[in-house]
Amino acid sequence: MPKETVTHSILKAKGPLLEWVEDEVVREVPLTIHYNGEEIATLLCSPSQTEELVYGFLLNEGFIRIPEDVYKIRYDPSDHLVWVEGTPCVLQKELMSKRFVSACCGKSRASFCFANDVLMVKPLNSTHSISLQEAYDYVQFLQSNSLLFEATGGVHSGGVGYQGQILLTSYDIGRHNVFDKLSGGAFRAGLNLEDHVIFFSGRVSSEILLKVAKMKVPILIARSAPTDMALSQASALNITVVGFAREQRLNIYTCPDRINP
């Protein structure tokens, strides 16, 4: 398994005192994906769950639809290169171009997050609901099982839950990578997520909301704040967004009927 952290000597200040100490820093690697011989993206990510990340990225970007669309996948961990052979995709030529996807979730993704997305999402029909206590339980799991964050403070984490059970977890330096890993894991396991819950450590932007919509998950529970565009999209797509979920507190922003007292 690739090493997830490196050790750095740092000068640490506490009040007027300075002290040299050894500190754990999370790793960031560039993962370049080739699809049918064409370089399509370089993702800045954590060196974990690489195949899940690749499957999730290809699924969410419209390259693949079913597991059989992937004929072969080869990963070179020394150079962080992935080659995928799969079903030819029209979106690949007409709407995609090679790009560099930053882990900071900034303009590098906002500039193109709408072209394919509008063809791939539609309002959800799920009437699935959960209790308030179940929501709190997911928050507690997130707070109690983020060991790499506790060690480094440098990653986001998330998971998929169903009826109080934790089915999948992931972590990454990039928020969108967390969702691609969860999506790829569910895709490979054959999980239908239409009655499931995603819980997440970060804020909810429009790009994050669209990934949830592509996964067809009706309830998103986040530790941090949503944006106004994300909430507009959530209302239009019939997705429940819960934010500022911490311990026994949370805010329900959209579609509140899915959270029962």
Side-chain angles (χ1 to χ4, degrees):
M1 180 177 180
K3 190 175 180 181
E4 298 168 335
T5 65
V6 294
T7 302
H8 275 263
S9 295
I10 65 169
L11 191 59
K12 192 168 187 175
K14 187 175 183 180
L17 301 178
L18 291 172
E19 179 185 14
W20 284 101
V21 300
E22 295 297 302
D23 190 50
E24 291 295 308
V25 177
V26 69
R27 287 187 66 206
E28 176 180 8
V29 300
L31 181 71
T32 299
I33 303 173
H34 299 80
Y35 191 81
N36 289 341
E38 181 178 352
E39 180 182 331
I40 60 170
T42 296
L43 311 180
L44 296 179
C45 60
S46 298
S48 66
Q49 297 176 300
T50 299
E51 289 198 6
E52 286 84 353
L53 175 60
V54 172
Y55 271 91
F57 181 82
L58 294 175
L59 179 66
N60 288 329
E61 296 296 334
F63 282 82
I64 60 177
R65 284 289 179 269
I66 57 176
E68 290 74 19
D69 284 339
V70 175
Y71 307 152
K72 182 180 180 181
I73 183 169
R74 180 166 61 90
Y75 172 45
D76 181 353
S78 61
D79 291 327
H80 308 296
L81 300 175
V82 177
W83 290 269
V84 180
E85 296 177 18
T87 302
C89 177
V90 175
L91 293 179
Q92 180 180 351
K93 294 296 185 182
E94 295 184 355
L95 297 177
M96 301 284 293
S97 61
K98 183 172 68 175
R99 62 225 191 199
F100 193 87
V101 183
S102 169
C104 71
C105 312
K107 292 181 179 179
S108 59
R109 289 194 64 79
S111 63
F112 63 74
C113 70
F114 301 106
N116 289 346
D117 296 331
V118 295
L119 303 177
M120 298 172 62
V121 299
K122 60 183 179 180
L124 304 186
N125 296 319
S126 174
T127 59
H128 181 65
S129 64
I130 64 172
S131 68
L132 194 55
Q133 186 56 54
E134 184 176 333
Y136 289 145
D137 289 343
Y138 292 133
V139 175
Q140 181 59 44
F141 178 88
L142 199 61
Q143 293 174 340
S144 303
N145 293 272
S146 300
L147 299 181
L148 189 58
F149 177 82
E150 292 177 9
T152 66
V155 294
H156 290 288
S157 58
V160 173
Y162 179 70
Q163 295 183 346
Q165 301 298 311
I166 310 302
L167 303 183
L168 298 168
T169 61
S170 71
Y171 61 86
D172 201 276
I173 58 169
R175 291 179 297 124
H176 50 271
N177 293 340
V178 170
F179 286 83
D180 281 341
K181 288 178 177 180
L182 291 175
S183 179
F187 181 71
R188 297 182 73 188
L191 290 179
N192 183 330
L193 300 180
E194 292 182 5
D195 290 332
H196 290 60
V197 178
I198 285 184
F199 48 93
F200 173 54
S201 64
R203 66 182 175 87
V204 181
S205 64
S206 59
E207 65 175 353
I208 294 301
L209 194 283
L210 286 170
K211 284 188 177 292
V212 174
K214 290 174 184 178
M215 295 167 71
K216 296 181 174 59
V217 176
I219 302 172
L220 170 63
I221 301 173
R223 180 173 171 80
S224 297
T227 68
D228 64 332
M229 183 179 293
L231 295 181
S232 295
Q233 291 174 336
S235 295
L237 295 170
N238 193 28
I239 295 172
T240 299
V241 173
V242 175
F244 288 107
R246 305 175 187 185
E247 297 178 351
Q248 295 288 302
R249 298 179 292 115
L250 52 78
N251 296 339
I252 306 171
Y253 289 91
T254 58
C255 306
D257 292 346
R258 290 201 181 97
I259 309 295
N260 304 317

